[in-house]
Amino acid sequence: MNIFRILADLSHLLSILILLQKMKSSHSASGISFKSQLLYLIVYVTRYLDIFWTFTNSAWNTTFKLLFLASSAYTVYLMLNDYKPTHDPGVDTFKVEYLLGGSAVLAIIFPYEYTFTEILWSFSIWLESVAILPQLFMLQRTGEAETITANYIFALGVYRALYIPNWFYRYFAEGHVDQIAWLAGVLQTVLYSDFFWIYYTKVMQGKKFNLPV
């Protein structure tokens, strides 16, 4: 465990807390993509369910896996029940079938081992790299976002960006190589690049988050 991994996991947890606080305080899921949240739940289920039959001596990993599973399931539950009337499916229209299908194909073609758990893990890595797309597509369609929603996406993007120095550290310190996670992580960070720039020039300057026309 290194400082970059710790900061990445904390940033990930912070993004989830920001999202839940936003929904709870406003009693609304407006501006939040249900499709992205469902994709993240699929990511965590396919990646972390092995904690129930695989032993690990890392309390940190186990705790965060359980937190991500539980919080993601709770978010989807809230959007399906308590705040369903506040979500507008008319703007949450990204075709997630392509993301699911593409991730499944890559997982089957390029796993490290042809075992059920390895294919699920590979699937979850590829799917996570594109799971934010429905949310970004919603922003593009509406042209704006509440500051707290932008803060959620920013914290989620920082989580993924911090994994890049984590991979460098592990490569030089431990000789660890993980091409699938590297490629998917770089792809995911690139998807956030435009958002990061707009966030810096708008939100961090005290302005409302608006996409340029």
Side-chain angles (χ1 to χ4, degrees):
M1 188 73 68
N2 62 75
I3 187 62
F4 302 113
R5 168 68 186 278
I6 292 171
L7 290 175
D9 287 345
L10 291 175
S11 181
H12 191 181
L13 180 61
L14 177 63
S15 72
I16 295 171
L17 294 177
I18 290 172
L19 178 66
L20 290 173
Q21 193 275 334
K22 183 266 183 207
M23 290 196 295
K24 286 289 187 178
S25 62
S26 64
H27 303 287
S28 170
S30 175
I32 303 299
S33 168
F34 172 76
K35 290 184 176 182
S36 273
Q37 296 309 312
L38 182 60
L39 291 180
Y40 280 120
L41 178 58
I42 294 172
V43 165
Y44 303 140
V45 168
T46 53
R47 187 182 305 170
Y48 296 146
L49 274 187
D50 66 335
I51 63 174
F52 297 110
W53 62 79
T54 302
F55 174 77
T56 176
N57 58 3
S58 173
W60 177 276
N61 284 344
T62 300
T63 299
F64 273 80
K65 286 178 180 181
L66 290 171
L67 283 173
F68 295 148
L69 273 169
S71 59
S72 185
Y74 183 53
T75 299
V76 169
Y77 170 81
L78 289 176
M79 295 188 74
L80 282 175
N81 294 277
D82 298 33
Y83 307 135
K84 184 175 182 179
T86 65
H87 174 254
D88 184 4
V91 294
D92 192 11
T93 58
F94 194 93
K95 299 292 186 181
V96 296
E97 298 88 344
Y98 298 119
L99 305 182
L100 290 165
S103 299
V105 169
L106 288 171
I108 292 170
I109 296 176
F110 301 115
Y112 289 130
E113 297 177 16
Y114 277 98
T115 64
F116 181 68
T117 53
E118 279 296 320
I119 290 175
L120 282 183
W121 177 86
S122 181
F123 169 77
S124 76
I125 295 295
W126 290 115
L127 184 60
E128 185 181 18
S129 72
V130 293
I132 195 63
L133 280 175
Q135 181 68 64
L136 296 178
F137 186 69
M138 271 189 69
L139 288 182
Q140 187 179 50
R141 292 202 64 182
T142 59
E144 61 182 21
E146 297 177 41
T147 298
I148 195 166
T149 303
N151 289 341
Y152 154 70
I153 301 172
F154 179 76
L156 199 58
V158 168
Y159 141 66
R160 290 313 306 174
L162 281 169
Y163 262 73
I164 294 177
N166 167 63
W167 295 326
F168 276 106
Y169 176 88
R170 295 197 64 190
Y171 176 75
F172 289 108
E174 307 168 10
H176 179 76
V177 176
D178 189 343
Q179 295 98 327
I180 293 175
W182 291 355
L183 288 172
V186 170
L187 169 62
Q188 189 171 5
T189 304
V190 168
L191 291 178
Y192 279 99
S193 58
D194 282 346
F195 173 86
F196 281 150
W197 175 248
I198 298 170
Y199 185 91
Y200 172 75
T201 57
K202 298 287 187 178
V203 178
M204 294 188 72
Q205 306 299 323
K207 303 175 184 176
K208 186 175 181 180
F209 184 96
N210 291 104
L211 295 178
V213 178

